[in-house]
């Protein structure tokens, strides 16, 4: 096979895990007995939808009581305001002492403050009353109910009531070796590979059963710190998941499109062997059809080929089949290599 440079799309395939786009653990904000469960486990819920009803009787009575206190405080304020205004006119006629005016003013300001305190108590009671309705904080698919009707819910409890998970879209986190990231950036900076427009950020998924996910994803970000234990960096991609096929925690393989290498050399994997030091090597033909050994440098596999970055060059003739019959220095009569389906380009 006569080597020839060609443009190839570079890919990196890495294992990863799916992660929920949003996940909310639902917990009670007030104490009380669960009266109702208002959702079907495993169904889709919307943000603000009521999930549970906690017994509101205590909080309703507290709210009503504070409403009454607020009304009384406002009535006292009306009386104090009228008295203060009347004293302001009387002081000019010297009908009352300055002390009487100061006392009326102090009472008026105190009643103003009392109205504000009562207003705050009403608002606090309203919040607690509203919390007796446990609503979904986000839209998504709800899990099983951990608590049953009749159980006591406690504000601040560690045990959750249920979980709501947003499945569309969904994240896929993969661990990219730091050395691969450095190689990619170096080759991009040197011009060895080129960005392939918008497709450079495309990610494709292969599911655990080997099937392909039919919707492409896009790269969102990469971590800024390298994991010292694994020497990898987390790369996150986002996928549309309208059919809810992808679930959090699934094991997948992500294929990242790196870019285009316009001058790649492809050598069939069957032509590559290993020496005693596990270095890859190929058999080539010299200009007089004699066999010679070349140690090569491989970058990554691409289908049934290796992308070779050193040891051979365009125009070199690599022996693909019949390797068991030849030795370095042998003179041969070569024939063009033909694979199972088509002739390799450059033969």
């Amino acid at each position: 096979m006569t080597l020839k440079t060609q443009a190839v799309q570079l890919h990196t395939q890495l294992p990863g895990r799916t992660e929920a786009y949003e996940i909310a653990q639902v917990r009670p904000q007030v104490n009380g007995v669960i009266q109702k469960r208002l959702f079907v486990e495993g169904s889709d819920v919307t943000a603000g939808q009521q999930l549970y009803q906690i017994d509101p009787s205590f909080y309703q009575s507290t709210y009503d009581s504070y409403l009454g206190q607020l009304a009384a405080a406002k009535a006292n304020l009306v009386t104090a305001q009228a008295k203060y205004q009347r004293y302001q006119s009387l002081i000019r006629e010297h009908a009352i002492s300055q002390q009487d005016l100061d006392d009326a003013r102090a009472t008026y300001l105190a009643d103003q403050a009392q109205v504000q305190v009562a207003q705050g108590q009403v608002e606090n009671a309203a919040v607690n009353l509203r919390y007796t309705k446990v609503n979904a904080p986000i839209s998504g698919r709800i899990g099983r109910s951990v608590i049953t009707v009749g159980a006591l819910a406690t504000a601040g409890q560690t045990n959750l009531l249920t979980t709501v998970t947003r499945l569309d879209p969904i994240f896929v986190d993969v661990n990219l070796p730091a050395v691969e990231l450095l190689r990619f950036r170096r080759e991009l900076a040197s011009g060895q590979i080129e960005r392939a427009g918008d497709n450079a950020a495309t990610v494709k998924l292969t599911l655990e059963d080997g099937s392909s996910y039919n919707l492409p994803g896009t790269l969102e970000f990469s971590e800024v710190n390298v994991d010292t234990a694994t020497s990898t960096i987390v790369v996150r991609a986002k996928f549309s998941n309208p059919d809810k096929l992808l679930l959090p925690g699934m094991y997948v393989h992500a294929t990242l499109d790196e870019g285009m290498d316009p001058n790649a050399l492809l050598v069939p994997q069957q032509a590559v062997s290993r020496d005693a030091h596990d270095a890859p090597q190929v058999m080539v033909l010299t200009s007089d059809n004699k066999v010679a050994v070349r140690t090569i440098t491989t970058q990554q596999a691409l289908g049934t080929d290796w992308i070779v970055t050193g040891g051979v060059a365009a125009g070199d003739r690599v022996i693909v089949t019949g390797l068991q019959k030849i030795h370095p220095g042998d003179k041969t009569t070569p024939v063009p290599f033909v694979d199972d389906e088509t002739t390799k380009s450059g033969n």
Side-chain angles (χ1 to χ4, degrees), residues 158-196:
T158 57
N159 295 331
L160 52 87
L161 301 179
T162 187
T163 302
V164 180
T165 305
R166 182 177 174 183
L167 299 176
D168 184 24
I170 195 168
F171 289 131
V172 173
D173 290 345
V174 297
N175 292 315
L176 178 67
V179 65
E180 290 293 323
L181 182 63
L182 291 175
R183 175 188 62 78
F184 171 60
R185 290 179 174 175
R186 183 171 57 250
E187 293 174 354
L188 192 63
S190 65
Q192 184 176 342
I193 62 175
E194 302 172 352
R195 282 288 190 185

Side-chain angles (χ1 to χ4, degrees), residues 248-321:
M250 292 180 67
Y251 178 80
V252 295
H253 276 89
T255 302
L256 284 65
D257 288 341
E258 297 181 7
M260 184 70 68
D261 186 346
N263 298 301
L265 282 177
L266 299 183
V267 174
Q269 293 185 17
Q270 67 189 91
V272 180
S273 59
R274 300 278 175 172
D275 62 16
H277 302 286
D278 202 35
Q281 61 182 16
V282 293
M283 296 287 191
V284 299
L285 287 178
T286 62
S287 58
D288 56 355
N289 287 338
K290 286 188 177 181
V291 178
V293 179
R294 297 271 186 90
T295 300
I296 61 173
T297 304
T298 58
Q299 176 179 320
Q300 67 181 74
L302 185 66
T304 59
D305 299 322
W306 283 108
I307 297 178
V308 178
T309 57
V312 290
D316 287 344
R317 294 182 296 167
V318 175
I319 301 173
V320 181
T321 61

